[in-house]
Amino acid sequence: MGRMSTMYVGALLVAGALLIATEGTPLYDGIGFPDEPYRYVDPPAGHHQKNAPTDATATLTLLHGVNKGEGLVSSRESGPQVALYIPPGELHVTSSATRLTVRARPVPGGALPVDGTPNSNVYELDLGPAPVTFSGSPPNVPNISLREAVYQSVLAVMEYRATESSPWKRLPTQQVGRDVFLGFVQGPGQYVLVQPGAGSDQRSRDRGSNRQLVLILGACVLILGVLIASMRGISRRTQQS
């Protein structure tokens, strides 16, 4: 392999590593792919929207009461406001059903969490029609991702309740995009993003965002350097010939 080919391969490997290190920022968050305005179930005063929010629905095939393949589905906004990932073999049903429907749909909030300010629609997760149990433990369990309605400097947290009369509880939450947060599915019920109130455990995203920016810029500089070196090498060979 020639020197120039080696440089190309090295650049691609490093660029790939840098992009992986940015924790999978969605394509929608990049320059030229902005998120569309958030679609609310109950729009705040003064907010005008043309389209209603959509749901995320998938039908999974069951074999001996277990889902055969994985399920990855998201709502139809750009970028999606809710997304679900179901690992293969993680959903179990006790009936003879051969198919299982997984659906996350936006619903009116009802009694919302009081330990912060809701910053997404409430999404109700339905799994059925048969009762479902999970076989694994995090991270090998289904997860749900929600997009913030309004970008905030303080990281959001996801909260869950099994029924409308159940209390809300906070879930371990991971930031997986600029304004996208992931939590592990607890079961059927309602999920929402909340901005923690003053005096609670608040986490700023500034450090992580700056780190992602530095890594992406570093990858761009590296690739640009390789391209410049390549063009100079081509120019020298052309002059020598």
Side-chain angles (χ1 to χ4, degrees):
M1 180 180 292
R3 181 181 177 186
M4 196 56 63
S5 298
T6 302
M7 293 177 64
Y8 277 126
V9 172
L12 290 174
L13 289 175
V14 174
L18 289 170
L19 292 175
I20 291 171
T22 61
E23 299 178 349
T25 302
L27 177 66
Y28 303 101
D29 291 333
I31 298 174
F33 296 90
D35 292 339
E36 67 172 279
Y38 199 83
R39 302 187 193 180
Y40 293 90
V41 173
D42 298 311
H47 179 83
H48 302 284
Q49 63 185 37
K50 296 180 179 180
N51 302 307
T54 62
D55 59 12
T57 304
T59 300
L60 305 180
T61 301
L62 303 176
L63 180 63
H64 306 304
V66 180
N67 64 301
K68 288 180 56 179
E70 64 182 3
L72 178 60
V73 61
S74 60
S75 57
R76 297 183 298 280
E77 300 85 16
S78 176
Q81 294 180 187
V82 59
L84 295 165
Y85 174 67
I86 313 295
E90 292 301 319
L91 300 185
H92 293 244
V93 301
T94 56
S95 72
S96 58
T98 58
R99 292 185 178 276
L100 179 73
T101 299
V102 179
R103 182 187 185 199
R105 58 189 179 92
V107 297
L112 294 169
V114 296
D115 58 347
T117 304
N119 197 10
S120 75
N121 293 327
V122 173
Y123 283 87
E124 186 159 288
L125 177 61
D126 300 314
L127 303 169
V132 178
T133 58
F134 305 147
S135 64
S137 58
N140 297 315
V141 293
N143 59 62
I144 181 171
S145 298
L146 299 177
R147 174 161 70 95
E148 287 180 314
V150 179
Y151 179 85
Q152 300 286 346
S153 60
V154 173
L155 295 177
V157 294
M158 191 176 295
E159 300 204 12
Y160 162 79
R161 64 181 178 183
T163 67
E164 290 188 3
S165 59
S166 302
W168 290 97
K169 67 175 184 178
R170 288 194 179 184
L171 303 179
T173 307
Q174 301 176 24
Q175 182 186 11
V176 294
R178 177 178 178 273
D179 54 1
V180 180
F181 296 84
L182 176 148
F184 294 113
V185 170
Q186 307 296 298
Q190 296 184 343
Y191 298 78
V192 66
L193 289 182
V194 173
Q195 297 299 141
S200 61
D201 182 20
Q202 295 184 332
R203 296 181 300 141
S204 172
R205 79 178 80 211
D206 293 344
R207 181 178 178 183
S209 297
N210 291 338
R211 174 176 175 270
Q212 288 188 7
L213 179 60
V214 169
L215 290 171
I216 292 172
L217 290 176
C220 292
V221 170
L222 177 63
I223 294 172
L224 180 60
V226 172
L227 291 175
I228 291 174
S230 174
M231 295 300 296
R232 288 177 177 174
I234 293 172
S235 177
R236 284 196 298 268
R237 289 195 298 269
T238 300
Q239 293 174 358
Q240 292 172 357
S241 60

